[in-house]
Amino acid sequence: MMLLAAEVAPSFWHGFFFVFFALLTCGFALGVLFSNNIVRMAFYLVLSLGASAGLFFLAGAEFVGAMQLMIYVGGTLVLLIFGVMLTAQSRFISMKTPSGEWVLGVAVGGCLLLLLLSVAFQVKDWRTPRGKGGLSLEDSKTSSQIGMAFTGVRVDKLDQKNEQLAGGMSGYLLPFVIVSVHLLVVLVGAAYMARTKRRATATGAVG
Amino acid sequence: MYVDLDTIKLLWPELVLVLLATWIYIGGTIQQGRWWWGLFALAAYGVSGHAVAVGIVEANTVSGPLTPDSLGYVVRFTAIVLGALFTLVLTASARKELASETIATLMLLICGVMLVGRANDLVFLFVSLELVSIPTYVLLYLGRRDRATSEATVKYFFLSVLSSAVLLYGLTMLYGVAGTTTLVGPGSIQSELQSLSVDAGGLGSLTPVALVLIIAGLGFKMAAVPFHFYAPDVYQGATNANAGLLAVVPKVAGVIALIRVAVIAMPNVAEFAWHVTLVLALVTMTIGNVCALWQQNLRRLMAYSSIAHAGYMLIGVAVAMAMEASGGISGTLFYLLVYAFGSLGMFAALASLGSDEQEVSRLEQLSGLARSRPFVAGAIAVCMFSLAGIPPLAGFWGKFTLFTGAVRVATDSGGQATSVWFAVLAVGGAINAAIAAVYYLRVVAVMYFQPSREANFGTNVGARVVMLFAAVLVVALGIFPRSIFNATEHAESSALREKVAAQTIQRLEAIATSQQVP
């Protein structure tokens, strides 16, 4: 990936930002790994995920980039930091990882890294540098297409004439509807969790 | 192109369940009462089952993310039957003020399994699998309110979320390689991958990674090694009814999703896939059976047994990957059904013995059960014999089909190495069946040959009905396995027919384009 960025000379800034965001992502990811303080870990994770959103923007996937910012940086991590703040006790704030778990973690993570690296280098397209005309930096406006696909219309495939092929291209309305059923279940579960806490203390006071 | 009326029609049984589950959620706030909503839910399953049965007639409408093959129908009928049975168990054992929530959440869970059964689209498949996972968390939590349950629930929740992330990673890779989210059919992942070689240096070399991640993510749902470690702890912390639910329902969803994605839709990595699955099957069976030998807690014992059975099912999956139309899918499905009812019967029997004060969880609590509760002991014995695979019962036929499948690949396949691998698999399976018999028979021995002890067992009517139903079904399937075999064989051929049809269409299109060019 780094090699690729270096080869793309015509658009210097594209390469520059790629290296910049990639370094930020990797550096802060390592920061998460080597830090012992859970608040710092959360902060490093914010920066790492934010920088990877930058990579998505560079790749022209602005919808994914925006989602990355909104969901991970905006939602999940704020939740994480609030969770840490609410349960902040000294023994939870600093995490000491036993050496056995380090070995296990490095083994599992290392295997995945090796697998991904070896596979990534097997793909010829990704190894060979592109010529001068190979890179196009037009921005792809995918958000509205994705939005339409959620309502069941694949606007990017409307020109498909083949009935057989068109049949498999109905959008993502049904999955979108199923997600609302997920939310219903989650709400019921959350209501129950909130209710038990009160009841538990109430019965505790009586008993 | 659009989600049209045909799709809605195909989804009618699932829609019924979602609508009525919502109705139960709302109605439960007004009208409390166990059997009121329990019977309502049974009626809902009846309506939904009827809708599935009626829907078979118009089965040849292919519509977007749904596949109408008969594999889907087998899964949906199984899901509905399991849903009705678990409703009976849970209605009788849930607390009165939570009965409606429990029943409705179970209904959505069953709806999730039904959707997994017919998903033909990666996005659809993933959200359906989540519709299995999310209600499971809530149900585990609703089961009982103490530290052990909370711990088990949290453990299951975090590991399940992790496994979903791993699965999603794999599905993303698959989408990246194929460029479409449709699994089978014209212009689908399956037909795209057909022409992609793994070694050619193209995008095809990413498929093995996708496969490994997908097997890992679904392996958690099936409780297969190396994602089995949660099962004993979580089952131990859950109630008997919920442990039964965990042992059966996610496994059905996981196996079906594995068949749909890894077996049918990824033809270019079949060689690599069966190697991985075969090794996993051997390791999973052995770990499950050996660890089960010294368990004293019944739910831990059943957890290891469920791990071992996941290993047996992987035998069928490996057979299906190694040789097309070899009966692997049909054998796996049959085994899944047999396992589901055997396991369900055991957990229902345990739930029926529990009372509000005390639940049965240790093996010695069953001692002398044959004298104090002869019917329950008999049902447990039948389920244990079936799970062990002793001849007249259904479990025997399940193991028999799986092992003969492995032997068939060993003898019929051309390659020397393939034969050796599958011969090892068949022998390993047989040895494991022998090991498994030890701990299943130990349960029976405790019930029949140890002095009975004073115990105040509960009387859970719903669970008792389910237990007897499961035991009778296990015996009946053992005597008349042909009916279910026909269904599963038809399911396999119909699931693969989609594949063959897609290949033919692609070939015809290729010919058509090659003729147009000059």
Side-chain angles (χ1 to χ4, degrees):
Chain A
M1 294 296 264
M2 302 281 279
L3 282 176
L4 183 76
E7 294 291 339
V8 181
S11 51
F12 168 75
W13 287 109
H14 190 270
F16 172 79
F17 277 113
F18 178 83
V19 175
F20 177 69
F21 284 130
L23 282 180
L24 275 186
T25 309
C26 297
F28 284 113
L30 287 176
V32 176
L33 193 61
F34 291 111
S35 170
N36 277 332
N37 185 308
I38 202 164
V39 182
R40 288 211 177 132
M41 281 183 195
F43 181 64
Y44 292 150
L45 200 57
V46 170
L47 295 178
S48 179
L49 291 175
S52 60
L55 289 177
F56 284 130
F57 282 119
L58 278 182
E62 86 281 339
F63 181 80
V64 186
M67 282 301 117
Q68 171 93 358
L69 281 180
M70 276 172 65
I71 295 173
Y72 285 98
V73 183
T76 314
L77 278 165
V78 170
L79 199 69
L80 181 67
I81 291 176
F82 267 108
V84 170
M85 276 160 57
L86 288 175
T87 57
Q89 289 174 12
S90 53
R91 70 198 163 100
F92 291 129
I93 285 288
S94 136
M95 282 173 48
K96 293 270 185 294
T97 317
S99 49
E101 287 180 15
W102 264 109
V103 173
L104 199 68
V106 167
V108 174
C111 284
L112 186 62
L113 183 68
L114 275 181
L115 186 71
L116 287 177
L117 277 183
S118 68
V119 162
F121 279 104
Q122 271 176 26
V123 180
K124 248 184 226 137
D125 273 2
W126 298 354
R127 270 179 306 170
T128 41
R130 296 189 193 174
K132 296 237 167 191
L135 186 83
S136 59
L137 284 183
E138 58 191 298
D139 59 348
S140 52
K141 293 196 167 51
T142 52
S143 319
S144 55
Q145 291 179 5
I146 293 173
M148 289 301 280
F150 272 129
T151 62
V153 188
R154 290 285 296 271
V155 282
D156 52 331
K157 306 276 185 178
L158 280 178
D159 51 344
Q160 178 60 253
K161 290 287 180 290
N162 188 334
E163 278 289 314
Q164 283 273 339
L165 285 174
M169 281 167 193
S170 64
Y172 301 104
L173 182 62
L174 286 176
F176 194 55
V177 172
I178 298 175
V179 172
S180 70
V181 181
H182 291 174
L183 284 177
L184 173 70
V185 180
V186 168
L187 279 177
V188 170
Y192 176 68
M193 278 180 84
R195 192 171 68 174
T196 28
K197 257 185 198 143
R198 238 187 13 248
R199 283 188 166 220
T201 49
T203 49
V206 171
Chain B
M1 191 74 53
Y2 307 96
V3 174
D4 46 16
L5 209 60
D6 283 343
T7 316
I8 306 291
K9 253 190 223 159
L10 281 175
L11 273 178
W12 183 236
E14 286 85 354
L15 279 179
V16 167
L17 286 189
V18 171
L19 287 176
L20 292 181
T22 320
W23 180 250
I24 296 178
Y25 275 138
I26 296 169
T29 58
I30 301 160
Q31 163 80 42
Q32 282 191 346
R34 280 180 190 174
W35 289 107
W36 178 271
W37 293 115
L39 293 175
F40 186 86
L42 287 183
Y45 287 117
V47 172
S48 176
H50 174 73
V52 175
V54 169
I56 291 182
V57 185
E58 42 185 338
N60 32 13
T61 25
V62 179
S63 200
L66 301 172
T67 173
D69 60 8
S70 78
L71 175 62
Y73 284 103
V74 170
V75 176
R76 292 161 95 201
F77 277 121
T78 316
I80 287 174
V81 172
L82 286 176
L85 295 178
F86 273 114
T87 302
L88 278 173
V89 178
L90 285 174
T91 309
S93 55
R95 273 178 297 140
K96 193 185 167 205
E97 67 270 23
L98 289 176
S100 60
E101 278 92 340
T102 311
I103 292 165
T105 312
L106 174 73
M107 205 180 261
L108 292 176
L109 171 66
I110 294 301
C111 178
V113 179
M114 291 169 71
L115 290 174
V116 170
R118 56 192 344 213
N120 193 26
D121 180 282
L122 289 183
V123 182
F124 192 80
L125 180 75
F126 182 75
V127 289
S128 311
L129 280 172
E130 283 305 292
L131 194 56
V132 178
S133 299
I134 295 174
T136 315
Y137 314 144
V138 178
L139 275 180
L140 280 181
Y141 197 75
L142 289 174
R144 201 176 11 173
R145 197 171 43 190
D146 60 6
R147 277 186 85 92
T149 306
S150 306
E151 193 192 323
T153 311
V154 168
K155 221 175 242 175
Y156 186 76
F157 171 71
F158 280 116
L159 290 170
S160 172
V161 168
L162 180 73
S163 85
S164 295
V166 171
L167 173 67
L168 204 51
Y169 199 3
L171 295 182
T172 323
M173 292 257 179
L174 195 56
Y175 171 66
V177 174
T180 170
T181 53
T182 314
L183 280 171
V184 177
S188 65
I189 292 175
Q190 189 259 329
S191 55
E192 291 290 323
L193 291 190
Q194 198 84 46
S195 51
L196 274 180
S197 163
V198 179
D199 314 314
L203 275 177
S205 49
L206 291 176
T207 358
V209 186
L211 180 89
V212 168
L213 291 169
I214 287 169
I215 290 183
L218 292 174
F220 174 87
K221 299 230 171 352
M222 295 172 61
V225 170
F227 298 93
H228 65 291
F229 49 84
Y230 75 94
D233 291 357
V234 173
Y235 287 23
Q236 192 180 11
T239 59
N240 280 323
N242 278 339
L245 192 76
L246 268 185
V248 173
V249 178
K251 199 165 292 215
V252 174
V255 170
I256 299 306
L258 196 65
I259 290 176
R260 284 251 185 250
V261 181
V263 178
I264 299 179
M266 299 173 76
N268 65 335
V269 280
E271 181 77 18
F272 175 68
W274 71 251
H275 279 99
V276 173
T277 319
L278 192 147
V279 172
L280 279 186
L282 277 174
V283 177
T284 307
M285 291 188 286
T286 315
I287 287 188
N289 281 327
V290 171
C291 290
L293 284 177
W294 49 80
Q295 299 303 326
Q296 289 302 320
N297 185 301
L298 279 168
R299 283 196 296 274
R300 280 188 93 84
L301 184 125
M302 287 307 289
Y304 281 111
S305 135
S306 114
I307 295 170
H309 286 287
Y312 296 126
M313 286 169 212
L314 284 177
I315 297 181
V317 175
V319 168
M321 282 165 171
M323 217 163 104
E324 204 162 287
S326 56
I329 295 175
S330 140
T332 313
L333 272 183
F334 186 80
Y335 198 84
L336 189 64
L337 292 178
V338 168
Y339 163 77
F341 289 111
S343 202
L344 169 66
M346 173 66 182
F347 279 110
L350 293 182
S352 82
L353 291 175
S355 58
D356 285 343
E357 298 88 52
Q358 178 205 10
E359 69 174 349
V360 178
S361 58
R362 298 193 63 75
L363 184 55
E364 64 259 22
Q365 278 173 293
L366 292 185
S367 59
L369 196 70
R371 274 176 290 282
S372 54
R373 289 275 193 283
F375 272 112
V376 182
I380 292 182
V382 166
C383 292
M384 291 283 111
F385 283 137
S386 171
L387 288 176
I390 289 175
L393 296 168
F396 167 74
W397 295 110
K399 285 205 174 61
F400 182 73
T401 27
L402 288 182
F403 295 163
T404 45
V407 171
R408 194 181 308 144
V409 177
T411 50
D412 289 4
S413 73
Q416 179 77 31
T418 316
S419 311
V420 174
W421 274 109
F422 276 91
V424 168
L425 184 65
V427 171
I431 294 175
N432 265 290
I435 301 175
V438 175
Y439 61 86
Y440 289 128
L441 294 184
R442 198 175 53 147
V443 175
V444 178
V446 166
M447 289 190 306
Y448 279 85
F449 302 119
Q450 283 196 4
S452 104
R453 43 160 64 196
E454 281 303 306
N456 47 342
F457 290 127
T459 47
N460 179 333
V461 185
R464 192 149 301 174
V465 170
V466 173
M467 168 196 86
L468 287 177
F469 180 82
V472 169
L473 201 65
V474 162
V475 174
L477 282 185
I479 302 169
F480 310 106
R482 199 62 245 173
S483 50
I484 299 289
F485 265 136
N486 286 341
T488 57
E489 268 162 16
H490 188 242
E492 167 164 355
S493 60
S494 128
L496 291 176
R497 191 173 57 222
E498 291 273 308
K499 186 175 173 176
V500 175
Q503 285 164 6
T504 325
I505 288 175
Q506 206 183 25
R507 220 171 296 135
L508 287 177
E509 276 181 355
I511 294 168
T513 45
S514 68
Q515 281 170 347
Q516 276 165 9
V517 170

